[in-house]
Amino acid sequence: METSSPATTDPPPPLALAGTSIPAAVSQCSAPSPAPARPPASSGTWPYSRLGFNYASPIATGWALESASRGPHIMSNIFVAKALLDYATAEAGCDPLAAVPCSRRVHGFLPSSLLTNMVLVSGLLCAAIMPLVGSIVDHTPYRRALGRASWAGIMAVHATLLFANPSNWLAMAGVQVFGRVVDLTHLIITYAYLPEITDDPTELSRLSSSFNVKQYVTSALFLGSVGAAAAALKLGSGGTVVLSQSVVLVVTFLLMGAAWATDLFPPRPALSAVPPGSRLVCAGFRRLWRTILKIFTTYRPLRWMIVTLVLAEAASNTFTQVAITYTSQVLGMDGTDVSAMIFVLLLATVPGSAFMAYFSEKTDPAWSYQASLAFFGTVTIAASMLLHGPDDVGLCYLFAVAWGFGFGWMHPAGRTLYATIIPVGQETEMMGIYTFSGQVLLFAPPLLFSYLNEAGYPMSFGLGSLGMFFFAAAMCAGAMGSFEEAQVAVGRGKASVEGVEVEGGEARE
């Protein structure tokens, strides 16, 4: 894919949601601009610099604001998911607080399958539309404009969820599914800018850790404050949803708005025209297929990295819904208990992110990512064997610490590794594959969980099945080889050996 110089003016406003094949202006990757003591007033970000949102690169500052806003945004969905699960259980004629999973069906399925069914549907939708919206981003100059449109879409979804109640829970489940699609589109565009921050693996690892810490700190603050207020005011599931969505609307407007309503994320032109004889609708699918073939025939380490991401991200993106279902239906935890457990998990992500930066520097990003996957799989399998009922609630908090540490370690490690082993000059299409890989198998873990649940197997089998995905991902990560070999294969790092310079995955004298 060819790149072109960045545009100097804003593109026209978008007419569609953001895409998935991520265009990046590769020419800007090499030299971040120096940080002024106080950003220009036109950027609108100087009040946030005193809170730690002031980086040498404007894009890094935008990423930090985006990460901080995503914390409350993601956590607010936990309150919605818990409320929808309670509403479905009550409509089926069961007590939402009972320690025994409801065996009655509502709309043809068990209430305990609701959340994983939602993930299943959203995963299929995301995988289907990603190439389509990716072609919009590749062949139109709307990257930043689409980021702004998806930001508005996220706020619209949160505003709609304010009206969730027992009589419309199924419709609101549909809104949640739609919100997942909008959220993914927005995340895709944010990732488009990641390779432009720096091409130094150590610096990118440090920044990824910093972004993660900001996301998890704001997540913990949001969850703790909303949970405490809900408990003090004795709000039920519905009242907690209203409170959480109201707060997150303000936070999303202030933080995410500061990132996208300013010039922190600059506009980018279309990288190429629609190929002759092709249409915009089909161009993304054809490009995706060609890129996948290139990876699997040319870049062996990257090939195994893609397989690793397919397995790991599918299980990781399903974990929250499975955890909420399991703690509610098996351990009998109410909304306050679930919030407290997630709060503990979030606190543990901070040392996990710090450990990722330390461990990656002492070893390398490949070892760090593989070890994090094995760690998370081990913790999940152990939890499925030891958490059986209400008497194990205390033990669940210990597992929450381990899960949180694993999340704080695993996600930035994987992001850093991938960004440093993609071919030079092909960051655009390869970062698009990164996002697609996380969605292509997203349907599998919730489908397996729902199947086991509907077939009458203990819910611990479903929880344990997630651990198997992480173990499989760890084995695939080991098949990549060493980090140095992975970089040499794609023309990165010090790739001169006995007069042969490796560049772009090919050796030349």
Side-chain angles (χ1 to χ4, degrees):
M1 178 179 293
E2 297 180 357
T3 60
S4 57
S5 60
T8 58
T9 59
D10 288 339
L15 299 177
L17 286 176
T20 179
S21 179
I22 304 178
V26 179
S27 60
Q28 289 197 352
C29 289
S30 58
S33 58
R38 168 175 162 175
S42 60
S43 72
T45 60
W46 70 265
Y48 299 96
S49 62
R50 298 184 179 182
L51 300 176
F53 299 102
N54 190 21
Y55 290 76
S57 164
I59 296 177
T61 302
W63 248 87
L65 287 164
E66 173 77 22
S67 299
S69 68
R70 289 194 64 78
H73 161 63
I74 294 172
M75 289 301 103
S76 69
N77 292 326
I78 292 177
F79 295 109
V80 176
K82 173 60 177 168
L84 295 179
L85 182 60
D86 288 348
Y87 294 155
T89 302
E91 185 168 321
C94 298
D95 182 3
L97 297 180
V100 179
C102 181
S103 59
R104 299 178 181 179
R105 296 181 180 272
V106 57
H107 298 290
F109 57 85
L110 296 173
S112 52
S113 297
L114 171 64
L115 301 185
T116 49
N117 286 343
M118 290 166 58
V119 177
L120 170 62
V121 174
S122 65
L124 292 173
L125 288 174
C126 289
I129 70 168
M130 284 175 66
L132 171 61
V133 294
S135 64
I136 297 175
V137 175
D138 264 350
H139 304 304
T140 68
Y142 295 149
R143 187 206 291 189
R144 183 173 73 172
L146 289 172
R148 291 172 171 176
S150 56
W151 162 49
I154 288 172
M155 295 191 64
V157 168
H158 285 301
T160 303
L161 291 172
L162 284 168
F163 303 97
N165 59 67
S167 64
N168 65 9
W169 66 267
L170 189 60
M172 290 299 169
V175 172
Q176 276 279 78
V177 170
F178 174 74
R180 170 62 182 164
V181 177
V182 176
D183 183 47
L184 179 65
T185 12
H186 186 78
L187 188 61
I188 287 165
I189 294 183
T190 306
Y191 270 99
Y193 291 93
L194 183 63
E196 300 182 28
I197 298 176
T198 179
D199 56 0
D200 180 1
T202 301
E203 177 66 9
L204 187 59
S205 177
R206 186 189 68 80
L207 289 172
S208 293
S209 176
S210 173
F211 299 151
N212 256 42
V213 168
K214 283 180 170 56
Q215 177 175 327
Y216 291 134
V217 166
T218 56
S219 296
L221 290 174
F222 172 83
L223 191 63
S225 59
V226 171
L233 298 174
K234 298 181 179 180
L235 300 177
S237 296
T240 305
V241 167
V242 173
L243 175 62
S244 64
Q245 298 305 303
S246 300
V247 173
V248 81
L249 275 171
V250 176
V251 173
T252 303
F253 178 79
L254 293 177
L255 294 181
M256 199 176 289
W260 289 99
T262 64
D263 294 326
L264 295 178
F265 290 113
R268 292 291 179 257
L271 296 180
S272 62
V274 176
S278 181
R279 295 185 178 183
L280 186 65
V281 174
C282 302
F285 290 93
R286 292 178 178 175
R287 181 181 296 277
L288 175 65
W289 177 246
R290 289 197 300 268
T291 303
I292 291 175
L293 285 180
K294 181 191 298 183
I295 291 173
F296 277 78
T297 57
T298 306
Y299 308 115
R300 184 189 66 83
L302 188 56
R303 176 179 67 207
W304 283 108
M305 180 66 188
I306 294 297
V307 177
T308 301
L309 287 171
V310 166
L311 295 168
E313 291 298 307
S316 177
N317 289 332
T318 308
F319 176 82
T320 300
Q321 285 72 21
V322 171
I324 294 173
T325 301
Y326 196 86
T327 54
S328 300
Q329 299 281 307
V330 176
L331 304 185
M333 298 173 69
D334 60 19
T336 302
D337 292 331
V338 172
S339 299
M341 186 269 292
I342 299 295
F343 180 77
V344 171
L345 185 152
L346 289 171
L347 291 179
T349 61
V350 176
S353 292
F355 179 78
M356 185 282 301
Y358 170 81
F359 192 76
S360 297
E361 183 178 356
K362 293 298 182 182
T363 57
D364 58 57
W367 270 109
S368 182
Y369 188 43
Q370 184 180 7
S372 69
L373 293 169
F375 174 81
F376 205 95
T378 301
V379 173
T380 304
I381 292 290
S384 70
M385 298 172 64
L386 298 176
L387 301 178
H388 300 299
D391 292 339
D392 299 320
V393 169
L395 183 60
C396 182
Y397 284 97
L398 294 179
F399 277 104
V401 172
W403 275 321
F405 187 89
F407 268 122
W409 178 8
M410 177 173 59
H411 286 303
R415 186 167 60 228
T416 299
L417 174 60
Y418 187 87
T420 52
I421 65 169
I422 54 179
V424 176
Q426 299 178 39
E427 289 87 349
T428 295
E429 54 187 317
M430 293 301 173
M431 288 305 291
I433 291 294
Y434 174 84
T435 310
F436 180 77
S437 300
Q439 303 300 315
V440 67
L441 203 65
L442 182 57
F443 69 90
L447 179 62
L448 179 58
F449 182 91
S450 294
Y451 169 77
L452 294 171
N453 187 46
E454 296 286 335
Y457 289 96
M459 206 173 292
S460 59
F461 283 30
L463 178 61
S465 68
L466 292 183
M468 302 309 299
F469 278 89
F470 288 111
F471 276 125
M475 289 188 289
C476 292
M480 286 190 296
S482 71
F483 178 62
E484 290 76 12
E485 292 172 346
Q487 285 205 307
V488 166
V490 296
R492 291 180 179 269
K494 297 179 180 179
S496 295
V497 181
E498 297 181 356
V500 178
E501 183 180 356
V502 180
E503 185 173 310
E506 299 179 356
R508 59 182 177 85
E509 298 291 341

